[in-house]
Amino acid sequence: MLYWFFVKVFGPIARRRLGPTAKGLENIPRKGGAIIAANHLAVIDDALIPITCPRMVHFMGKAEYFEGKGVKGKFKKWWFTSVGVFPVDRSGGNKSLGALEHAREIIEDGHLFGIHIEGTRSPDGRLYKGHTGVARLALETGCPIVPTALIGSDKLQPIGTTIPKKGRTQVIYGKPIHVEKKAADEITHDDLRALTDHLTAEIQKLSGQEYVPEYAQKVKAELKAKREAEQAEQAA
């Protein structure tokens, strides 16, 4: 795995471009499994955590990153695999369960697992309702969750842009949330929702974002439908 090679070689370039400052590094467990649970503002978020975290962080990535054809497709698959990213099917239902099981294995093996609780980038810079997958992983493994706030990345890389502007960002690692391990069949929906909402509130305290009690995916779908309706009306 080439994770540290990329962090050491490309990290200095990314730091000069993105200007990250990190706070709360003492809150990251020095050893053992844990979850780095963050908000999500821009694609570069997945670079900001590795170049500020002293330990390797494994992430999920869209399955499409691993399914491309030809040389480009093979390169993408090699790249993401090399930097500790593994695929997740985000089409819904039970298709993401395999990725969650892999994440649990990573945690139980004593590694860090990174995830964005909103499941997708914020469409407008606000913090959206968290998904409960993080809570389930924490309760089933008994590992701590480190609430993490990413600040300013959306200003350097607004939606629709590929190359980020030069500027400053911040990554704040909050105090770990410790949970008691539970058997999978003892975990209730209320357990999952309560822990997820608590985690989201801790991230909001760190990031200072306005909170929206809706899933970001739903809001994005509504915005897309509205744009398509307006385009259709203009074309009529």
Side-chain angles (χ1 to χ4, degrees):
M1 187 172 291
L2 301 175
Y3 181 93
W4 288 116
F5 170 79
F6 288 121
V7 169
K8 297 296 183 183
V9 173
F10 296 109
I13 298 172
R15 289 187 187 93
R16 284 196 296 271
R17 187 83 183 171
L18 308 179
T21 56
K23 291 185 178 180
L25 293 177
E26 69 278 5
N27 293 321
I28 300 170
R30 294 185 178 182
K31 60 181 180 179
I35 300 172
I36 305 295
N39 57 335
H40 198 11
L41 297 171
V43 174
I44 56 173
D45 292 342
D46 290 339
L48 289 172
I49 291 176
I51 64 176
T52 57
C53 183
R55 293 179 59 190
M56 178 178 178
V57 183
H58 297 260
F59 285 96
M60 291 181 183
K62 291 191 296 185
E64 293 89 334
Y65 292 154
F66 299 81
E67 299 170 349
K69 305 297 183 181
V71 175
K72 184 177 180 181
K74 290 180 179 179
F75 176 79
K76 273 189 174 183
K77 181 178 180 179
W78 170 80
W79 168 271
F80 285 108
T81 301
S82 296
V83 295
V85 178
F86 59 95
V88 58
D89 188 327
R90 304 194 305 174
S91 58
N94 295 324
K95 293 185 178 180
S96 64
L97 292 180
L100 287 175
E101 180 62 29
H102 185 54
R104 186 168 72 171
E105 292 173 359
I106 287 171
I107 294 166
E108 291 177 338
D109 285 342
H111 303 295
L112 296 183
F113 169 63
I115 189 168
H116 300 290
I117 64 167
E118 296 157 282
T120 187
R121 282 172 288 165
S122 170
D124 53 18
R126 296 184 294 176
L127 181 65
Y128 284 82
K129 187 175 181 179
H131 290 273
T132 58
V134 177
R136 180 171 293 282
L137 283 171
L139 290 168
E140 289 185 0
T141 62
C143 79
I145 311 171
V146 180
T148 303
L150 295 151
I151 301 172
S153 56
D154 56 330
K155 302 298 187 294
L156 303 191
Q157 190 183 38
I159 293 174
T161 62
T162 301
I163 300 175
K165 295 180 289 187
K166 189 174 182 179
R168 302 200 65 80
T169 54
Q170 191 173 31
V171 184
I172 305 176
Y173 298 97
K175 293 183 178 180
I177 298 172
H178 296 280
V179 301
E180 185 177 344
K181 184 176 181 179
K182 283 190 173 186
D185 58 359
E186 295 179 357
I187 299 172
T188 67
H189 175 73
D190 288 344
D191 292 333
L192 298 174
R193 191 71 259 164
L195 180 54
T196 302
D197 290 346
H198 174 49
L199 169 61
T200 305
E202 290 302 306
I203 293 174
Q204 184 190 20
K205 289 178 186 177
L206 298 171
S207 70
Q209 292 169 279
E210 178 186 346
Y211 176 66
V212 182
E214 295 267 12
Y215 289 118
Q217 290 91 338
K218 178 183 176 183
V219 174
K220 282 185 172 182
E222 291 172 349
L223 290 172
K224 182 181 178 181
K226 182 179 179 181
R227 286 195 302 269
E228 291 176 346
E230 290 174 349
Q231 290 172 355
E233 185 177 341
Q234 292 173 358

